DNA sequence: TTTTTTGCAAAACCTTTGCAGTTGG
DNA sequence: CCAACTGCAAAGGTTTTGCAAAAAA
């Protein structure tokens, strides 16, 4: 128990707060960055860099993917954004102010369940007790089989044919 | 509830057993496949397709990556092999007979801890109770901060600079 | 004006696909 | 002999890098 820090405020409630943070860090706040932030603030779930680029294209020239990745990188450094890998596809980016949601992903039907971090606190506590390990399901989800799929066939090996999902 | 299969024995203790399984499934057992299996049986931790290819190259012509991927795919179908994603790098392949190990990966120092599945049973039980979800840490690890890194800096956002690891 | 940002082109990286030639049974 | 397997070349999808032009402060 060396520390007591517990996720600093870092709210970033709106785009202007992010703009300030960007400038405070010696950066600039361009129209381009505003577009990316608008896409992020508009999204209700984490989205890919490509989808962000597409969103920016709706009202004008679509931003280049490179630019989007670079902006997201900067925003992650500032703690505004975080990305999660929910499967084999592209990383998905979301605002940290959205509570740092954690995820359950079903191996069988690929369904994604977003949880409030508090819901996983008992699990986290157990893992901490047993392994001295502070678990987080924000970057990689908790993977397994949802109730529906668990009854389908066992989670063991040889889980392939006839299920239409490949990992 | 269409099926009731419950993880058949499927030991695959040695290469010959796999050879039989391959032939039983209408496939063939080539020298190439033997090389891949030798690399897998020799490894003491999951390894990438590329490292398998490299291993086969030691005593002759290095196998093509394509071939290795195709063989691994076949072996996964048979339940001989399984792959895990421990980070942003390539998938890592290992024998299922190695107990279907599950993993803890530290976000701070990138250390990997292999666990016996039984060690995670209490965690699994808790997750099952709370969410009706059958968790598995064989495909994606349990990610977080190890004891050493947890005292380092909080798991919140803004976790970057000075740590030499990027995710 | 100075420094940061941007877009384009290109490449890196991991993995898959198509196809013609080879090989196991 | 024939189906299964292999290697090569190419492509697919995601992300990064280099560089010159454009824009913020």
């Amino acid at each position: 128990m060396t520390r007591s820090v517990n996720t600093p405020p870092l709210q970033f409630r709106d785009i202007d707060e992010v703009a300030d943070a960007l400038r405070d860090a010696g950066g600039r706040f361009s129209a381009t960055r505003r577009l990316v932030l608008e896409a992020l603030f508009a999204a209700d779930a984490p989205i890919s860099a490509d989808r962000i680029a597409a969103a920016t294209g709706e009202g004008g020239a679509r931003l280049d993917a490179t630019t989007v990745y670079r902006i997201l990188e900067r925003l992650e450094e500032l703690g505004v954004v975080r990305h999660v890998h929910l499967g084999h596809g592209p990383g998905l980016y979301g605002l940290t102010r959205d509570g740092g949601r954690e995820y359950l992903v079903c191996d069988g039907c690929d369904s994604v369940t977003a949880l409030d971090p508090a819901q996983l606190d008992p699990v986290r506590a157990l893992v901490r007790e047993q392994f001295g390990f502070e678990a987080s399901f924000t970057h990689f989800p908790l993977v397994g089989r949802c109730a529906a799929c668990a009854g389908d066939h066992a989670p063991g090996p040889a889980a392939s044919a006839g299920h239409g999902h490949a990992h």
Side-chain angles (χ1 to χ4, degrees), chain A residues 98-123:
Chain A
D98 287 341
R101 292 232 180 67
E102 300 193 278
Y103 303 90
L104 255 49
V105 171
C106 177
D107 226 7
C109 61
D110 287 336
S111 65
V112 175
T113 309
L115 299 177
D116 213 66
Q119 295 181 267
L120 281 166
D121 280 347
V123 174

PDB file of all heavy atoms in Angstrom, chain A residues 98-123:
ATOM      1  N   ASP A  98     -16.027   8.531 -19.966  1.00  0.00           N
ATOM      2  CA  ASP A  98     -17.169   7.620 -19.991  1.00  0.00           C
ATOM      3  C   ASP A  98     -17.001   6.518 -18.956  1.00  0.00           C
ATOM      4  O   ASP A  98     -17.423   5.381 -19.160  1.00  0.00           O
ATOM      5  CB  ASP A  98     -17.361   7.010 -21.385  1.00  0.00           C
ATOM      6  CG  ASP A  98     -17.929   8.032 -22.368  1.00  0.00           C
ATOM      7  OD1 ASP A  98     -18.500   9.044 -21.904  1.00  0.00           O
ATOM      8  OD2 ASP A  98     -17.794   7.815 -23.578  1.00  0.00           O
ATOM      9  N   GLY A  99     -16.390   6.858 -17.845  1.00  0.00           N
ATOM     10  CA  GLY A  99     -16.320   5.914 -16.730  1.00  0.00           C
ATOM     11  C   GLY A  99     -15.312   4.790 -16.891  1.00  0.00           C
ATOM     12  O   GLY A  99     -15.234   3.895 -16.077  1.00  0.00           O
ATOM     13  N   GLY A 100     -14.513   4.830 -17.938  1.00  0.00           N
ATOM     14  CA  GLY A 100     -13.537   3.762 -18.114  1.00  0.00           C
ATOM     15  C   GLY A 100     -14.222   2.421 -18.117  1.00  0.00           C
ATOM     16  O   GLY A 100     -13.860   1.523 -17.390  1.00  0.00           O
ATOM     17  N   ARG A 101     -15.217   2.302 -18.927  1.00  0.00           N
ATOM     18  CA  ARG A 101     -15.993   1.052 -18.955  1.00  0.00           C
ATOM     19  C   ARG A 101     -15.105  -0.164 -19.142  1.00  0.00           C
ATOM     20  O   ARG A 101     -14.059  -0.106 -19.745  1.00  0.00           O
ATOM     21  CB  ARG A 101     -16.992   1.108 -20.116  1.00  0.00           C
ATOM     22  CG  ARG A 101     -18.046   2.132 -19.882  1.00  0.00           C
ATOM     23  CD  ARG A 101     -19.438   1.584 -20.030  1.00  0.00           C
ATOM     24  NE  ARG A 101     -20.382   2.664 -19.770  1.00  0.00           N
ATOM     25  CZ  ARG A 101     -20.514   3.734 -20.562  1.00  0.00           C
ATOM     26  NH1 ARG A 101     -19.803   3.833 -21.669  1.00  0.00           N
ATOM     27  NH2 ARG A 101     -21.364   4.673 -20.254  1.00  0.00           N
ATOM     28  N   GLU A 102     -15.612  -1.260 -18.620  1.00  0.00           N
ATOM     29  CA  GLU A 102     -14.882  -2.511 -18.774  1.00  0.00           C
ATOM     30  C   GLU A 102     -15.794  -3.470 -19.524  1.00  0.00           C
ATOM     31  O   GLU A 102     -17.011  -3.294 -19.553  1.00  0.00           O
ATOM     32  CB  GLU A 102     -14.490  -3.046 -17.397  1.00  0.00           C
ATOM     33  CG  GLU A 102     -13.592  -2.030 -16.682  1.00  0.00           C
ATOM     34  CD  GLU A 102     -12.901  -2.587 -15.460  1.00  0.00           C
ATOM     35  OE1 GLU A 102     -13.536  -2.627 -14.407  1.00  0.00           O
ATOM     36  OE2 GLU A 102     -11.723  -2.975 -15.581  1.00  0.00           O
ATOM     37  N   TYR A 103     -15.190  -4.469 -20.160  1.00  0.00           N
ATOM     38  CA  TYR A 103     -15.974  -5.278 -21.085  1.00  0.00           C
ATOM     39  C   TYR A 103     -15.916  -6.775 -20.881  1.00  0.00           C
ATOM     40  O   TYR A 103     -14.897  -7.330 -20.488  1.00  0.00           O
ATOM     41  CB  TYR A 103     -15.547  -4.948 -22.519  1.00  0.00           C
ATOM     42  CG  TYR A 103     -15.697  -3.489 -22.845  1.00  0.00           C
ATOM     43  CD1 TYR A 103     -14.668  -2.597 -22.621  1.00  0.00           C
ATOM     44  CD2 TYR A 103     -16.909  -3.002 -23.330  1.00  0.00           C
ATOM     45  CE1 TYR A 103     -14.820  -1.237 -22.878  1.00  0.00           C
ATOM     46  CE2 TYR A 103     -17.074  -1.647 -23.595  1.00  0.00           C
ATOM     47  CZ  TYR A 103     -16.025  -0.773 -23.362  1.00  0.00           C
ATOM     48  OH  TYR A 103     -16.194   0.559 -23.605  1.00  0.00           O
ATOM     49  N   LEU A 104     -17.045  -7.381 -21.217  1.00  0.00           N
ATOM     50  CA  LEU A 104     -17.174  -8.833 -21.267  1.00  0.00           C
ATOM     51  C   LEU A 104     -17.439  -9.169 -22.728  1.00  0.00           C
ATOM     52  O   LEU A 104     -18.364  -8.616 -23.321  1.00  0.00           O
ATOM     53  CB  LEU A 104     -18.409  -9.256 -20.461  1.00  0.00           C
ATOM     54  CG  LEU A 104     -18.254  -9.884 -19.086  1.00  0.00           C
ATOM     55  CD1 LEU A 104     -17.321  -9.044 -18.228  1.00  0.00           C
ATOM     56  CD2 LEU A 104     -19.602 -10.007 -18.398  1.00  0.00           C
ATOM     57  N   VAL A 105     -16.647 -10.043 -23.291  1.00  0.00           N
ATOM     58  CA  VAL A 105     -16.864 -10.410 -24.682  1.00  0.00           C
ATOM     59  C   VAL A 105     -17.103 -11.907 -24.779  1.00  0.00           C
ATOM     60  O   VAL A 105     -16.315 -12.704 -24.258  1.00  0.00           O
ATOM     61  CB  VAL A 105     -15.653 -10.031 -25.561  1.00  0.00           C
ATOM     62  CG1 VAL A 105     -15.799 -10.607 -26.954  1.00  0.00           C
ATOM     63  CG2 VAL A 105     -15.511  -8.516 -25.641  1.00  0.00           C
ATOM     64  N   CYS A 106     -18.182 -12.278 -25.452  1.00  0.00           N
ATOM     65  CA  CYS A 106     -18.482 -13.693 -25.608  1.00  0.00           C
ATOM     66  C   CYS A 106     -17.811 -14.257 -26.847  1.00  0.00           C
ATOM     67  O   CYS A 106     -17.948 -13.736 -27.948  1.00  0.00           O
ATOM     68  CB  CYS A 106     -19.987 -13.924 -25.703  1.00  0.00           C
ATOM     69  SG  CYS A 106     -20.364 -15.659 -25.986  1.00  0.00           S
ATOM     70  N   ASP A 107     -17.095 -15.331 -26.606  1.00  0.00           N
ATOM     71  CA  ASP A 107     -16.362 -16.064 -27.611  1.00  0.00           C
ATOM     72  C   ASP A 107     -17.289 -16.746 -28.603  1.00  0.00           C
ATOM     73  O   ASP A 107     -16.902 -17.082 -29.719  1.00  0.00           O
ATOM     74  CB  ASP A 107     -15.619 -17.182 -26.877  1.00  0.00           C
ATOM     75  CG  ASP A 107     -14.198 -17.279 -27.314  1.00  0.00           C
ATOM     76  OD1 ASP A 107     -13.757 -16.416 -28.066  1.00  0.00           O
ATOM     77  OD2 ASP A 107     -13.541 -18.236 -26.883  1.00  0.00           O
ATOM     78  N   GLY A 108     -18.508 -17.026 -28.142  1.00  0.00           N
ATOM     79  CA  GLY A 108     -19.437 -17.797 -28.964  1.00  0.00           C
ATOM     80  C   GLY A 108     -20.209 -16.916 -29.923  1.00  0.00           C
ATOM     81  O   GLY A 108     -20.282 -17.193 -31.116  1.00  0.00           O
ATOM     82  N   CYS A 109     -20.785 -15.823 -29.398  1.00  0.00           N
ATOM     83  CA  CYS A 109     -21.639 -15.001 -30.241  1.00  0.00           C
ATOM     84  C   CYS A 109     -21.051 -13.612 -30.456  1.00  0.00           C
ATOM     85  O   CYS A 109     -21.691 -12.755 -31.057  1.00  0.00           O
ATOM     86  CB  CYS A 109     -23.027 -14.883 -29.613  1.00  0.00           C
ATOM     87  SG  CYS A 109     -23.018 -14.109 -27.978  1.00  0.00           S
ATOM     88  N   ASP A 110     -19.836 -13.407 -29.958  1.00  0.00           N
ATOM     89  CA  ASP A 110     -19.168 -12.120 -30.153  1.00  0.00           C
ATOM     90  C   ASP A 110     -19.915 -10.948 -29.519  1.00  0.00           C
ATOM     91  O   ASP A 110     -19.632  -9.792 -29.848  1.00  0.00           O
ATOM     92  CB  ASP A 110     -18.961 -11.830 -31.643  1.00  0.00           C
ATOM     93  CG  ASP A 110     -17.874 -12.690 -32.259  1.00  0.00           C
ATOM     94  OD1 ASP A 110     -17.004 -13.160 -31.502  1.00  0.00           O
ATOM     95  OD2 ASP A 110     -17.907 -12.898 -33.483  1.00  0.00           O
ATOM     96  N   SER A 111     -20.829 -11.219 -28.645  1.00  0.00           N
ATOM     97  CA  SER A 111     -21.545 -10.115 -28.013  1.00  0.00           C
ATOM     98  C   SER A 111     -20.620  -9.406 -27.032  1.00  0.00           C
ATOM     99  O   SER A 111     -19.730 -10.005 -26.445  1.00  0.00           O
ATOM    100  CB  SER A 111     -22.770 -10.642 -27.264  1.00  0.00           C
ATOM    101  OG  SER A 111     -22.367 -11.461 -26.194  1.00  0.00           O
ATOM    102  N   VAL A 112     -20.834  -8.114 -26.906  1.00  0.00           N
ATOM    103  CA  VAL A 112     -20.014  -7.298 -26.020  1.00  0.00           C
ATOM    104  C   VAL A 112     -20.907  -6.688 -24.943  1.00  0.00           C
ATOM    105  O   VAL A 112     -21.941  -6.113 -25.253  1.00  0.00           O
ATOM    106  CB  VAL A 112     -19.345  -6.146 -26.802  1.00  0.00           C
ATOM    107  CG1 VAL A 112     -18.597  -5.220 -25.855  1.00  0.00           C
ATOM    108  CG2 VAL A 112     -18.412  -6.701 -27.870  1.00  0.00           C
ATOM    109  N   THR A 113     -20.530  -6.869 -23.700  1.00  0.00           N
ATOM    110  CA  THR A 113     -21.279  -6.277 -22.601  1.00  0.00           C
ATOM    111  C   THR A 113     -20.396  -5.254 -21.911  1.00  0.00           C
ATOM    112  O   THR A 113     -19.307  -5.586 -21.462  1.00  0.00           O
ATOM    113  CB  THR A 113     -21.655  -7.365 -21.565  1.00  0.00           C
ATOM    114  OG1 THR A 113     -22.279  -8.444 -22.245  1.00  0.00           O
ATOM    115  CG2 THR A 113     -22.586  -6.796 -20.516  1.00  0.00           C
ATOM    116  N   ALA A 114     -20.860  -4.012 -21.864  1.00  0.00           N
ATOM    117  CA  ALA A 114     -20.093  -2.974 -21.181  1.00  0.00           C
ATOM    118  C   ALA A 114     -20.533  -2.944 -19.730  1.00  0.00           C
ATOM    119  O   ALA A 114     -21.727  -2.998 -19.433  1.00  0.00           O
ATOM    120  CB  ALA A 114     -20.337  -1.631 -21.841  1.00  0.00           C
ATOM    121  N   LEU A 115     -19.559  -2.884 -18.837  1.00  0.00           N
ATOM    122  CA  LEU A 115     -19.897  -2.871 -17.416  1.00  0.00           C
ATOM    123  C   LEU A 115     -19.362  -1.613 -16.771  1.00  0.00           C
ATOM    124  O   LEU A 115     -18.374  -1.039 -17.211  1.00  0.00           O
ATOM    125  CB  LEU A 115     -19.261  -4.070 -16.718  1.00  0.00           C
ATOM    126  CG  LEU A 115     -19.675  -5.457 -17.185  1.00  0.00           C
ATOM    127  CD1 LEU A 115     -18.865  -6.491 -16.414  1.00  0.00           C
ATOM    128  CD2 LEU A 115     -21.165  -5.663 -16.945  1.00  0.00           C
ATOM    129  N   ASP A 116     -20.012  -1.241 -15.712  1.00  0.00           N
ATOM    130  CA  ASP A 116     -19.517  -0.173 -14.890  1.00  0.00           C
ATOM    131  C   ASP A 116     -18.378  -0.786 -14.079  1.00  0.00           C
ATOM    132  O   ASP A 116     -18.519  -1.904 -13.591  1.00  0.00           O
ATOM    133  CB  ASP A 116     -20.652   0.256 -13.956  1.00  0.00           C
ATOM    134  CG  ASP A 116     -20.563   1.720 -13.672  1.00  0.00           C
ATOM    135  OD1 ASP A 116     -20.742   2.506 -14.623  1.00  0.00           O
ATOM    136  OD2 ASP A 116     -20.289   2.075 -12.516  1.00  0.00           O
ATOM    137  N   PRO A 117     -17.248  -0.098 -13.974  1.00  0.00           N
ATOM    138  CA  PRO A 117     -16.103  -0.679 -13.265  1.00  0.00           C
ATOM    139  C   PRO A 117     -16.476  -1.229 -11.897  1.00  0.00           C
ATOM    140  O   PRO A 117     -15.953  -2.265 -11.476  1.00  0.00           O
ATOM    141  CB  PRO A 117     -15.148   0.499 -13.125  1.00  0.00           C
ATOM    142  CG  PRO A 117     -15.486   1.412 -14.240  1.00  0.00           C
ATOM    143  CD  PRO A 117     -16.958   1.246 -14.501  1.00  0.00           C
ATOM    144  N   ALA A 118     -17.398  -0.562 -11.229  1.00  0.00           N
ATOM    145  CA  ALA A 118     -17.765  -1.016  -9.881  1.00  0.00           C
ATOM    146  C   ALA A 118     -18.290  -2.450  -9.896  1.00  0.00           C
ATOM    147  O   ALA A 118     -18.083  -3.208  -8.942  1.00  0.00           O
ATOM    148  CB  ALA A 118     -18.815  -0.087  -9.290  1.00  0.00           C
ATOM    149  N   GLN A 119     -18.931  -2.825 -10.981  1.00  0.00           N
ATOM    150  CA  GLN A 119     -19.479  -4.179 -11.047  1.00  0.00           C
ATOM    151  C   GLN A 119     -18.392  -5.240 -11.016  1.00  0.00           C
ATOM    152  O   GLN A 119     -18.640  -6.380 -10.666  1.00  0.00           O
ATOM    153  CB  GLN A 119     -20.304  -4.344 -12.331  1.00  0.00           C
ATOM    154  CG  GLN A 119     -21.541  -3.472 -12.369  1.00  0.00           C
ATOM    155  CD  GLN A 119     -22.321  -3.703 -13.650  1.00  0.00           C
ATOM    156  OE1 GLN A 119     -22.142  -3.003 -14.641  1.00  0.00           O
ATOM    157  NE2 GLN A 119     -23.165  -4.712 -13.642  1.00  0.00           N
ATOM    158  N   LEU A 120     -17.200  -4.837 -11.420  1.00  0.00           N
ATOM    159  CA  LEU A 120     -16.113  -5.805 -11.437  1.00  0.00           C
ATOM    160  C   LEU A 120     -15.218  -5.696 -10.205  1.00  0.00           C
ATOM    161  O   LEU A 120     -14.243  -6.434 -10.070  1.00  0.00           O
ATOM    162  CB  LEU A 120     -15.292  -5.653 -12.717  1.00  0.00           C
ATOM    163  CG  LEU A 120     -15.940  -6.312 -13.935  1.00  0.00           C
ATOM    164  CD1 LEU A 120     -15.298  -5.852 -15.234  1.00  0.00           C
ATOM    165  CD2 LEU A 120     -15.826  -7.839 -13.818  1.00  0.00           C
ATOM    166  N   ASP A 121     -15.573  -4.808  -9.312  1.00  0.00           N
ATOM    167  CA  ASP A 121     -14.734  -4.625  -8.123  1.00  0.00           C
ATOM    168  C   ASP A 121     -14.543  -5.896  -7.299  1.00  0.00           C
ATOM    169  O   ASP A 121     -13.437  -6.177  -6.855  1.00  0.00           O
ATOM    170  CB  ASP A 121     -15.280  -3.492  -7.248  1.00  0.00           C
ATOM    171  CG  ASP A 121     -14.869  -2.123  -7.794  1.00  0.00           C
ATOM    172  OD1 ASP A 121     -13.974  -2.088  -8.675  1.00  0.00           O
ATOM    173  OD2 ASP A 121     -15.435  -1.101  -7.358  1.00  0.00           O
ATOM    174  N   PRO A 122     -15.585  -6.697  -7.110  1.00  0.00           N
ATOM    175  CA  PRO A 122     -15.374  -7.937  -6.349  1.00  0.00           C
ATOM    176  C   PRO A 122     -14.379  -8.860  -7.048  1.00  0.00           C
ATOM    177  O   PRO A 122     -13.544  -9.497  -6.397  1.00  0.00           O
ATOM    178  CB  PRO A 122     -16.764  -8.568  -6.316  1.00  0.00           C
ATOM    179  CG  PRO A 122     -17.715  -7.439  -6.554  1.00  0.00           C
ATOM    180  CD  PRO A 122     -17.002  -6.488  -7.449  1.00  0.00           C
ATOM    181  N   VAL A 123     -14.459  -8.912  -8.350  1.00  0.00           N
ATOM    182  CA  VAL A 123     -13.531  -9.750  -9.096  1.00  0.00           C
ATOM    183  C   VAL A 123     -12.115  -9.199  -8.926  1.00  0.00           C
ATOM    184  O   VAL A 123     -11.165  -9.936  -8.653  1.00  0.00           O
ATOM    185  CB  VAL A 123     -13.895  -9.772 -10.600  1.00  0.00           C
ATOM    186  CG1 VAL A 123     -12.835 -10.521 -11.387  1.00  0.00           C
ATOM    187  CG2 VAL A 123     -15.266 -10.410 -10.791  1.00  0.00           C
TER     188      VAL A 123
END
